[in-house]
Each structure stands twice: as structure tokens, then as C-alpha cells.
Amino acid sequence: AERGGRRAELHKMAAAGAEAAAEEEKRLPEGDPESGGDSDDEGDSDSSGDGEDEEKENEAEIQRLEEQLSINAFDYNCHLDLIKLLRQEGELVKLRRARQKMSELFPLTEEIWLDWLKDEIKMASEISEREKVYELFERAVKDYICPEIWLEYAQYSIGGIGQEGGIERVRSIFERALTAVGLHVTKGTALWEAYREFENAILETAQPAPGSIPSPEQQQVLCSQLEKIHTLFRRQLGIPLLDMEASYAEYEEWSEEPIPETTIKNYKKALQQLEKCKPYEEALLGAETPKLAEYQAYIDFEMKAGDPARIQLIYERALAENCLVPDLWARYNQYLDRQLKVKELVLSAHDRAVRNCPWTVGLWIRYLLAMERHRVEHSIISEMFEKALNAGFIQATDYVEIWQAYLDYLRRRVDFTQDSSKELEELRSAFARAVEYLKQEVEERFSESGDPSCTIMQNWARVEARLCNNMQKARELWDNIMTKGNAKYANMWLEYYNLERAHGDTQHCRKALHRAVQCTSDYPEHVCEVLLTLERIEGTLEDWDAAVQKTENRLARVNEQRAKAAEKEAALAKQEEERAEQRKQARAEKKASKKAKKTRTGDKRKADEDDEGEWGQEEELPSKRHRGEGDGVLPEEDMEVETGLFGRSEKPDGPAAPKEKASTSRKDIPKVFHDSSKDKVTVFVSNLSYTMAEPEAKLRELFGSCGEVVEVRAVFNNKGTFRGYCYVQFREEEAARQALALDRTAVEGRPMFVSPCVDKNKNPDFKVFRYSTTLEKHKLFISGLPFSCTKEELEEVCKAHGNVKDIRLVTNRAGKPKGLAYVEYENEAQASQAVLKMDGLTVKDHVIKVMISNPPLRKLPERPDPSKASLVPPRQIYGARGKGRTQLSMMPRALQRQSNPVAKAENGMVQNSPAASSEPPAEPKKMSNADFAKMLLKK
């Protein structure tokens, strides 16, 4: 029934042009004054007023978009918004102009082309207007290989079969469509069927009237038409397409003759090939856009098969959905350049590549090479180079590369056997323009020329010396190179020396090396050796003596400067080492004084053993002792807490404390040692609020969405206060991986940190940082933002320059903003335009700085020298964060000094004194109470 309906439709399409014109004349635009309406009606007046307001707003928005495009014509989203508004307002002339401008800068997507074509088809009634639609279709099929556009093109051409040569034109378009997309596994069948239905419609019109006998001419036309349909069936059945079985069954039903063996053989072969393609087609069907990995696997498969047409088609399919991926364009163009080598096809692909990714200099360079390879006119290549300069590259070095590629092209055009030519003058003029362009345009934009070693001027000098025999000009260029800060590098002098040696004379070689010995600061020994070698081969005795004296004096000064620099560096290192040693001694003295406080006369409280806290983390020691307590005796409630957390002893006998604390509920929890075998199903959660009530219950509820939570182990200090971190153990490893996605989630006003459970004693270099630390050309780094700026406000500013994928405001551990942000765009082009437009912008009276995200390399912490470990007193371990700042020493300084010579460390081990000497420390004199009182009175 569907095919019958399609046949009827094809029969009627010959008169489609006239019908479309008639319908266009009948249509009246909405809101036309002639359509009538009661102006006195209140509802109509209100709606009219609303419509006028909306129309004014749209006009203002259209004007704003046009002004923005006049400033930046490469704003893709601005083009889309303008076209949408103009189509909504019915501004057909402006709409056509806007579409035309956009198509000149960018390849248009399938949706944009179809909308444009449908609008033009509605307005095309006369033959001349239909020809313009044909031209528009020709432009559309060149941007991307889209089956839908080809099918629309073929169906539109059927409407013109009544014109002279109309049938042949339709057949030509169908054949071109089959060449372009007839191999498309999933969408090619529709084109083959449309072509066959068209030929069937022609066959039915050629049938003689019922009851009449066809003439020989009619019989010949019928046989020819039947053969065309047979041929289409056979061609289609030899191509792997979806639903091939239905096409084969249709051919069996339609054909009055048996299907040839050759056709059956080709059909079975195509079926086998289809089975090989199906996994890749199914992967594309189930994948999410942009499906780049799936397309790459499909491309690799077709490359192994080696069919150029199929390789080209799968590349085109991939590019239709990944048109902003420069690497994909580069691989496709490389394949076309090296394998197909068809001029129209190669240049079209290169042109589409630079129009889609104009910020990628490598695509422009390949385009220039392809144009030269296919002998395109010089004026067209020069025009394309000028477009490349205006493409808006994001690095200064990109401009150096494009200039170098163009200069190479100009150099290959020159016939150097002639003393002077137009091409040579153009080359010299281009060299001079390149140097000036990098100095003015590029340096003004990027604060650097991108060519610090003056490679373009070096190449210019080599061309002048080797190809033009103009050493005078080459020397002038090298002199200019040396004045740009390159005179201190030995390799620059040696490059000039080699050029002078090959094309100059010995006198200038000697002069250059003498200057090099005087100026070089990185490798003066090498330059001195080259000078002595020159004089050994070609110099006189006087030249040799002068060279030896000059090199000896220079090397003596260099060695003296290096010795002074080494002494200065050693002195600075020594000062830094002394300062570090002083800081260590100060910390050791401070710790020793606090330690002495605990070793008072009477029952001394023994230092806690260096036990690890729950799950491998160390617990803090008691913060301080309370007033009114006996020497060396813990208050009852503190002893309960200590017993409950560390699990060392039972609760002492005696009456219960009247005051209950939050920690009493945890006093009987035994100590659980960390099981490293459960690290893969455990995450470490930190930066939580110390005042969080019932952290176990709250975190269990928070992480419950990730999977089954086996246990939440919150860490408390000896007072029962939550320390802000805990361990969450899951049943499955996948749940632990999902829990990592909750990193930086706000919990009670603070960003919660979630990281894998890793023992840092075994992995000291482990660091969790989920953001990239390398150059990301599609991401911006913004600084100078006001602290009050929200994510929504920043997005409002950024989205005017492209599609914003993500915004991250940088905060401190407490969740407070730091005035920094990272903004991720869809592609490099949008990010580049945003840098140009937003850098220096004022946001809430703050001038912001915007640049491409390229974080500096992180400095690794220096490892301590094991040889010096014995000189540093061992650090007393107090817990995961060290001893609390509130643990003030309550011992007199005099006793601290007395206790410094011999300080008893934890676990009964004796610590070295901060001021350790080679002699053993003397035994401290025991003091009575009277001696102790006298000492205090003296102080």
C-alpha cells in the first residue's frame, strides 16, 4: 500500500510546480489588514497590543544580532538566532541574506539546509525561480553527504519532468545521489526505492491503451524501460543494505523471468558483508552523540576492507556528527590526499575542514599544500592564505606556522636561475611582511611574536645566501636576528658560522666566531673550540695566538662567574638550611616543653602509644588537662571517653558522673583496625562540619543512592567531638566508584571531599585531583571575579559567546569563593572568541581577566635527605593533624629549659636534644621540693 501511494505521488509530481504557485497565490499572511477583524473588540485590541510589543522586541533583538555579527562574523550561535528570528517575523529578504552570509562562512547542517530549501521551494513558481532552487540544492549537497537532502533534491526534480529534458535531469540527479549515499547501510535503501518507483511510473505511462497492440517503437521503449528497472534491482542487491531480504523478495515478485545466477551470487556476497557491518551499525544506533569512538572503530574496519567509496562514505557520516573535531578532518584529508587524489573531492573536503574548524592551523596548512599539489591558480591560493590569517588562531606560534607554509609555497614558485623575477620579488616582499606581521599584529595580541628564535628570518637569510648568492643581505638579516636577544646562544652563532662557511669567506667566519666567544653565555666552551679549530686549519700564527688568548681570557671569566654563582647559591642554600634547622629546633623545643609538663612529680601520666586510629588514621591526644584535677589523674568523664575510643580497659569503679556527654554512647565501642583488603569498596570522606550531628546516619542516607552501605565509620577525638572525616564502606566496588561522583557536594554549607581509600604511608605521592592540569583549548580560566558572583550570573555573561557546557567556581575548603572560575565551551572556536570579547570585561565593578586554561606544573615536594635524618630530632606523633593549637603548655619556662637536655619521649624512648652534641648528656640532678622553690624564687 505504501509503494502504491508513492507511485501515485510520483505520477502527480509533474504538475507540482504549477500547484505550488497556485497555492502561494491563495495564501494570505497572518495578520493581513485585508483579512478583516473587529477593531473595537477589547480582546482583539489587547492581543494586537501584545503582538506589537513582541514585534518591537524582535526588531530590537534582530538589530542587536546584526550589530554583533558586524563585529564578529564568526559567531555561529548569533547567526542561528538571527535566522530563527527573521523566519519567525517573515522577513524573507533579510532571511535569505542572513542564510547566504552564514553559508559563506560555515557549512550548514542538514536541518538548516532543509528549512532553507523548503522556504525557497514554496516561493518558486516560475522556471527561473526553480533554477535558483536547483542551484541551492547543488550548494547543499556539497556541505555534507546527507541522504535526506539528496532524496529531497531528487523528489523536487521530479516536479520538473514536464520541461524539456526533465526526465534525463531527474535520472542524472538520482545517479549522483546513488554515487554519494547509495552505499549508506541504513539510509541508502530509500534512495534506491525512490529511483525504482520513478522508473516504474515512467513504465506505466509508456504502456499502450488497454486492448490495443503496441507498435514496434512502443515495444522497444517498453523493453528499454524494463531493462532499466532490472538493472536498478541488480545493482541494489549487490550492495549491503538493511532490509535486503525484502528487496530481493520484491524483485522475485516483480520479475517475470528467473533471477540470474550472477545476481544471486552478488546478493549472497552482499548479505555476508552486511553481517560484518551490522555490529558497527548497531553500536552507532545505541551510542550517544557524538559517537566518535564508534565511528572510529567503523572507519578502521572499512580501512582494512579497502573499498575507497565505502571508506569515504563512513568518514562523511562521522564528520556529519563530529564536524568540529579537527583530528577527524585531518585523517580524512590525509586519506584523500594519499589514496583517492581526485581534485574536486580533495579540495572540497579541505575547504569544508577549514570552514568547520578555522582555528586549527594544521588544516589550513594541509589545504594550501593540496591546492598547490593540484595546481590551483596562484591568486586563489593567496586569497585562501589571507582567509587563514583572519581565522583567529589561539596561539602565537600558529601564525608562525601558517606564514612558514605560505613562504615555502612562494619559494617553490621562484626560478632561481634568473637573477630577478616577479616571483622572487613577491617572495622577498612576503618575508618582510611576515616579520612585520609577527612584530605588530601577533605581538600586540599575544604579548609575544611566537618566533623568539627568528626562524622566518633565518630561512630568509638562507634563501638569500644559498639560492640568491646575496651574502650581504644574509649578513644584515643575521645581524638583526642577533639584536633580538639571540646573541647569548651558541647555537645561533654556529648557525650563522655554518652559513658563512658555506657561502661566505674566512674573514667573516673569523669575525663571527670572535663575537660569539665574547657574547655566548650558555655554551662558551663549544664556541671557543670551533674558533680554535678554524685557526688550526686556516689561520696564521698571529691568528692562532689571538684566538688562544681570547678563548683563555673568556673561559677564565666564565669560570670565575660560575664560581661566584656557585658560592652565592651555596650560601643561600646554607642560609635556608640553617633557617630550616632553627625552625625544627624551635618545634622540637616546643614539643619537649609540652612533654615535660606531663612528666610531673607524683603519678605521671604515661604518654599514649602511637596507636593508629580507626581505619589507619591517628587519633589526637587529650587537648589539655582541667583545673582542679589531681596530678597525673584524668577526670572520670575523660577516662570514660579514652576507654571507649581506644578500648584499653574497663570503666573504673565508682559513682557515675552526673554530667552526660555525647561521647558516652561511644565509650564501649571496641577499636577496629583497618582492613586494607576493603580499600576498593571504601571511600574517604573529609572536610565535613565538626558540628554535624549523627554523621553516621546523615552520610548513610547521603551515600545510599550509590549502593548498599555496609558501614559508616566516623572518627572522633578523645572528647567525643567529630573530627570532620570518616570512612564509608560499600558492599560492591561499583558503588564506591559511583560515590566518587559526589565529590564537592555541599553538605551543611561546606563542600564535601570524597576520594578513594588509599594508605598514604604506602603511597606518599597519591593525590586526588579530578580536573585536568594540561592545556585545554576549549576551557577558559577567569580571575578577578567578585566573591558575590554566582554560577548563574557568570553563565549569563559567558553564554553570549557560545554554548557553555560547564562552569566551576573555585572555592576554599569552607566553600567560600576565591574569585576564580573555569568555563568550558563546546569547542575551541567559541572559547577563542570568548577570550577576545570577555578579557578586561567589568563584572560588578571588578575587571576580570580571561585566558585559555593552561595550569602551571605542580611542584613536587622535596624528599628529605636521609643522610641528615640523624641531625633532626624525631618528630613526636600526635595524630593526623598534629597537636592542637589550643594545647598550651602550662609549665614554667625554667622547667622547660631544665627538661630539654633529656626529654623522655613516648613509649619510654629517649629523644635526642635539639642542641645535640657529640658528648653524652649529663644526668640531671635530682631536686627536692625546697630546691625547687628556691629556683623559682630566684627566677
Side-chain angles (χ1 to χ4, degrees):
E2 181 181 354
R3 290 194 176 96
R6 189 181 296 155
R7 288 192 184 97
E9 179 185 354
L10 289 168
H11 285 306
K12 295 177 181 178
M13 289 189 73
E19 293 177 2
E23 291 177 2
E24 183 67 24
E25 291 177 359
K26 293 177 182 179
R27 286 195 309 111
L28 281 174
E30 294 180 5
D32 189 53
E34 297 178 4
S35 61
D38 189 358
S39 60
D40 296 331
D41 186 84
E42 184 177 354
D44 290 346
S45 62
D46 292 342
S47 61
S48 176
D50 294 340
E52 290 178 0
D53 294 340
E54 183 179 358
E55 184 178 353
K56 290 180 180 179
E57 292 178 1
N58 290 341
E59 290 178 356
E61 182 65 13
I62 290 172
Q63 185 176 358
R64 185 190 70 80
L65 292 172
E66 290 176 342
E67 291 176 356
Q68 187 170 344
L69 287 175
S70 64
I71 299 173
N72 178 20
F74 288 92
D75 193 333
Y76 188 88
N77 293 321
C78 190
H79 280 286
L80 292 180
D81 294 340
L82 179 60
I83 290 173
K84 182 179 179 181
L85 273 177
L86 290 174
R87 195 176 188 212
Q88 179 180 339
E89 290 295 311
E91 297 282 352
L92 300 181
V93 177
K94 290 184 178 181
L95 177 61
R96 183 178 294 167
R97 189 185 305 123
R99 284 167 167 165
Q100 180 69 25
K101 288 182 179 180
M102 185 177 182
S103 67
E104 292 173 357
L105 297 174
F106 304 101
L108 304 185
T109 63
E110 177 184 331
E111 294 77 10
I112 297 176
W113 272 120
L114 289 175
D115 288 341
W116 189 358
L117 290 166
K118 290 175 182 178
D119 290 344
E120 295 292 344
I121 289 172
K122 290 178 182 178
M123 295 183 292
S125 58
E126 299 181 359
I127 296 178
S128 59
E129 293 175 342
R130 288 182 62 84
E131 289 299 323
K132 292 181 179 178
V133 177
Y134 282 122
E135 293 176 2
L136 200 60
F137 268 115
E138 289 294 331
R139 290 173 54 190
V141 297
K142 289 179 181 178
D143 274 357
Y144 298 106
I145 294 182
C146 299
E148 289 80 2
I149 294 179
W150 275 110
L151 187 60
E152 188 75 22
Y153 190 10
Q155 290 177 346
Y156 179 73
S157 66
I158 294 175
I161 59 176
Q163 302 174 10
E164 183 179 356
I167 294 178
E168 294 303 320
R169 185 173 196 172
V170 174
R171 285 174 176 157
S172 173
I173 292 173
F174 266 119
E175 288 294 336
R176 290 173 56 201
L178 293 179
T179 303
V181 293
L183 299 178
H184 199 297
V185 177
T186 58
K187 298 181 180 181
T189 304
L191 270 169
W192 286 99
E193 290 184 351
Y195 195 2
R196 286 203 320 272
E197 296 300 336
F198 169 73
E199 294 294 353
N200 273 318
I202 299 298
L203 177 64
E204 291 184 13
T205 59
Q207 294 284 354
S212 63
I213 300 175
S215 63
E217 291 79 8
Q218 290 178 332
Q219 190 68 31
Q220 185 178 359
V221 171
L222 287 174
C223 292
S224 174
Q225 190 64 26
L226 284 172
E227 185 60 29
K228 284 185 173 64
I229 300 174
H230 275 289
T231 303
L232 284 176
F233 267 118
R234 293 166 187 169
R235 289 169 60 190
Q236 180 183 356
L237 292 175
I239 299 173
L241 300 171
L242 290 183
D243 203 19
M244 289 185 64
E245 297 83 354
S247 300
Y248 184 80
E250 182 181 353
Y251 187 28
E252 282 185 319
E253 180 183 354
W254 180 85
S255 177
E256 298 177 355
E257 302 174 358
I259 299 178
E261 288 296 327
T262 306
T263 303
I264 297 175
K265 184 178 179 181
N266 292 336
Y267 167 69
K268 292 180 178 179
K269 184 178 178 181
L271 273 179
Q272 293 176 357
Q273 190 173 359
L274 178 62
E275 291 301 319
K276 296 179 182 178
C277 295
K278 272 186 177 180
Y280 298 98
E281 293 291 345
E282 291 171 356
L284 289 174
L285 188 63
E288 297 181 358
T289 305
K291 312 175 185 179
L292 186 59
E294 290 77 12
Y295 273 119
Q296 188 57 54
Y298 206 164
I299 290 171
D300 294 339
F301 165 73
E302 293 292 358
M303 290 288 283
K304 292 179 181 178
D307 186 344
R310 298 190 64 81
I311 293 173
Q312 180 196 357
L313 180 62
I314 190 59
Y315 263 120
E316 291 288 351
R317 289 177 60 185
L319 288 168
E321 297 191 51
N322 298 274
C323 60
L324 299 179
V325 180
D327 291 340
L328 187 59
W329 281 108
R331 291 195 295 270
Y332 181 39
N333 291 335
Q334 184 180 35
Y335 172 77
L336 295 178
D337 288 334
R338 296 180 179 179
Q339 302 297 328
L340 296 187
K341 301 180 181 179
V342 180
K343 179 178 178 180
E344 292 75 13
L345 183 62
V346 169
L347 295 183
S348 173
H350 279 288
D351 183 68
R352 289 184 290 138
V354 297
R355 289 169 66 198
N356 275 289
C357 307
W359 64 89
T360 307
V361 67
L363 296 177
W364 287 100
I365 293 175
R366 290 186 180 90
Y367 193 8
L368 294 178
L369 291 172
M371 296 175 77
E372 181 184 3
R373 195 176 293 120
H374 291 282
R375 304 184 182 281
V376 177
E377 293 182 6
H378 172 62
S379 59
I380 298 177
I381 296 178
S382 298
E383 182 181 351
M384 191 58 58
F385 168 71
E386 295 297 334
K387 288 183 179 180
L389 287 181
N390 297 322
F393 301 132
I394 60 179
Q395 294 183 23
T397 54
D398 292 344
Y399 288 94
V400 179
E401 293 180 24
I402 192 65
W403 266 111
Q404 193 59 65
Y406 183 60
L407 292 169
D408 293 344
Y409 157 71
L410 294 179
R411 194 266 306 163
R412 289 189 286 269
R413 296 182 67 244
V414 179
D415 181 7
F416 289 100
T417 58
Q418 302 179 8
D419 293 337
S420 179
S421 64
K422 180 181 178 181
E423 290 79 7
L424 178 58
E425 294 304 320
E426 184 178 4
L427 174 62
R428 285 172 171 162
S429 175
F431 267 119
R433 183 190 168 198
V435 173
E436 188 66 22
Y437 186 91
L438 295 177
K439 181 180 178 181
Q440 299 292 335
E441 302 290 336
V442 177
E443 193 166 348
E444 180 180 351
R445 177 179 173 187
F446 297 97
S447 301
E448 59 167 329
S449 66
D451 190 18
S453 57
C454 302
T455 55
I456 289 182
M457 293 183 69
Q458 288 187 45
N459 292 332
W460 188 3
R462 293 187 186 102
V463 169
E464 294 289 352
R466 296 176 184 175
L467 302 177
C468 301
N469 298 319
N470 189 353
M471 274 304 300
Q472 182 62 33
K473 180 63 175 178
R475 292 180 185 121
E476 292 177 3
L477 291 170
W478 271 103
D479 185 67
N480 196 1
I481 291 171
M482 292 305 182
T483 59
K484 295 184 180 297
N486 293 302
K488 59 184 177 181
Y489 301 117
N491 67 311
M492 300 297 292
W493 284 107
L494 295 180
E495 283 285 341
Y496 173 49
Y497 166 74
N498 291 331
L499 187 68
E500 194 71 58
R501 187 78 170 155
H503 306 284
D505 52 54
T506 305
Q507 180 181 358
H508 284 90
C509 288
R510 181 177 291 111
K511 183 178 178 181
L513 289 177
H514 276 274
R515 289 180 60 194
V517 169
Q518 191 69 25
C519 300
T520 302
S521 60
D522 54 352
Y523 298 106
E525 294 89 350
H526 190 30
V527 175
C528 292
E529 183 181 352
V530 174
L531 175 58
L532 293 176
T533 302
L534 172 68
E535 301 300 356
R536 181 176 284 112
I537 296 174
E538 298 188 15
T540 63
L541 178 60
E542 290 78 6
D543 295 334
W544 173 261
D545 290 339
V548 170
Q549 182 180 359
K550 193 174 190 67
T551 55
E552 287 179 350
N553 293 338
R554 175 57 177 163
L555 292 178
R557 290 197 302 271
V558 168
N559 291 332
E560 183 180 353
Q561 292 172 357
R562 289 175 178 172
K564 289 182 179 179
E567 290 177 1
K568 185 177 181 181
E569 185 177 354
L572 292 175
K574 185 176 181 181
Q575 292 177 4
E576 183 62 28
E577 186 177 349
E578 289 176 354
R579 285 195 290 267
E581 189 68 24
Q582 290 174 2
R583 288 194 294 268
K584 291 178 181 178
Q585 290 180 3
R587 287 196 295 267
E589 291 177 0
K590 184 177 180 181
K591 292 176 182 177
S593 64
K594 293 180 180 179
K595 180 68 177 180
K597 167 191 170 184
K598 300 174 184 178
T599 58
R600 294 188 177 183
T601 308
D603 294 334
K604 297 182 179 180
R605 186 177 67 182
K606 187 176 181 179
D608 291 337
E609 295 178 356
D610 293 333
D611 288 340
E612 290 184 342
E614 291 181 352
W615 293 70
Q617 295 292 326
E618 299 164 346
E619 296 292 338
E620 286 186 341
L621 294 175
S623 59
K624 65 178 182 178
R625 294 168 59 183
H626 297 267
R627 293 185 179 180
E629 299 171 5
D631 290 342
V633 179
L634 286 171
E636 183 177 352
E637 59 269 22
D638 285 356
M639 187 172 293
E640 290 178 2
V641 173
E642 188 175 53
T643 302
L645 285 177
F646 292 90
R648 294 194 181 92
S649 61
E650 299 295 332
K651 178 178 176 181
D653 297 333
K659 182 180 180 181
E660 294 189 7
K661 295 189 175 182
S663 61
T664 57
S665 61
R666 303 183 179 91
K667 65 182 179 181
D668 296 328
I669 299 177
K671 178 181 178 183
V672 178
F673 289 95
H674 173 53
D675 185 359
S676 59
S677 64
K678 298 179 180 178
D679 283 351
K680 293 185 178 180
V681 294
T682 305
V683 295
F684 176 64
V685 183
S686 60
N687 201 44
L688 300 171
S689 174
Y690 291 174
T691 60
M692 180 182 290
E694 298 297 333
E696 295 96 337
K698 188 171 185 65
L699 293 178
R700 184 180 291 273
E701 178 183 358
L702 182 62
F703 286 96
S705 59
C706 302
E708 183 181 353
V709 179
V710 176
E711 190 171 12
V712 177
R713 296 179 180 270
V715 180
F716 299 85
N717 64 9
N718 63 320
K719 294 293 185 182
T721 303
F722 181 45
R723 297 185 62 185
Y725 61 91
C726 65
Y727 296 85
V728 181
Q729 179 185 341
F730 294 91
R731 181 75 62 188
E732 301 291 341
E733 185 177 342
E734 179 62 27
R737 284 196 293 267
Q738 292 183 11
L740 297 176
L742 296 180
D743 185 37
R744 310 281 171 165
T745 302
V747 178
E748 295 189 1
R750 295 172 63 89
M752 174 181 66
F753 298 162
V754 184
S755 59
C757 185
V758 176
D759 187 355
K760 292 190 178 180
N761 293 326
K762 299 179 181 179
N763 301 276
D765 297 330
F766 177 78
K767 182 71 176 177
V768 176
F769 191 74
R770 63 172 181 165
Y771 302 108
S772 174
T773 58
T774 59
L775 175 65
E776 296 179 279
K777 296 182 180 180
H778 65 292
K779 186 179 291 186
L780 305 183
F781 172 69
I782 304 178
S783 60
L785 290 168
F787 293 161
S788 60
C789 182
T790 63
K791 183 176 180 180
E792 291 74 17
E793 292 173 341
L794 182 58
E795 183 178 7
E796 191 67 26
V797 176
C798 298
K799 71 179 184 181
H801 310 289
N803 293 332
V804 178
K805 293 180 63 178
D806 185 39
I807 293 180
R808 176 167 63 94
L809 295 177
V810 182
T811 61
N812 58 16
R813 295 180 68 89
K816 303 298 182 181
K818 299 173 69 174
L820 309 174
Y822 289 90
V823 180
E824 181 180 358
Y825 282 93
E826 278 192 349
N827 53 61
E828 300 173 13
Q830 296 177 359
S832 177
Q833 294 300 326
V835 170
L836 296 176
K837 299 300 180 183
M838 293 174 56
D839 189 30
L841 188 68
T842 301
V843 177
K844 294 185 177 181
D845 299 330
H846 285 67
V847 179
I848 62 173
K849 292 183 179 180
V850 184
M851 62 192 73
I852 298 295
S853 176
N854 188 15
L857 294 177
R858 292 174 173 265
K859 295 183 178 180
L860 297 176
E862 296 182 358
R863 301 278 187 183
D865 189 354
S867 62
K868 299 180 181 180
S870 60
L871 302 178
V872 182
R875 180 177 178 181
Q876 186 171 343
I877 300 176
Y878 292 101
R881 298 179 180 273
K883 203 165 185 180
R885 300 180 70 177
T886 59
Q887 296 180 359
L888 303 177
S889 176
M890 304 301 293
M891 183 177 292
R893 291 188 179 89
L895 285 185
Q896 291 181 25
R897 286 194 294 270
Q898 290 293 331
S899 64
N900 279 344
V902 178
K904 187 174 181 181
E906 294 179 339
N907 298 330
M909 298 300 293
V910 178
Q911 283 190 179
N912 294 333
S913 172
S917 63
S918 59
E919 299 180 359
E923 183 74 12
K925 183 180 179 181
K926 294 183 178 179
M927 301 175 64
S928 64
N929 289 341
D931 294 334
F932 180 63
K934 289 178 182 180
M935 182 189 67
L936 290 179
L937 291 174
K938 288 179 181 180
K939 293 295 179 182

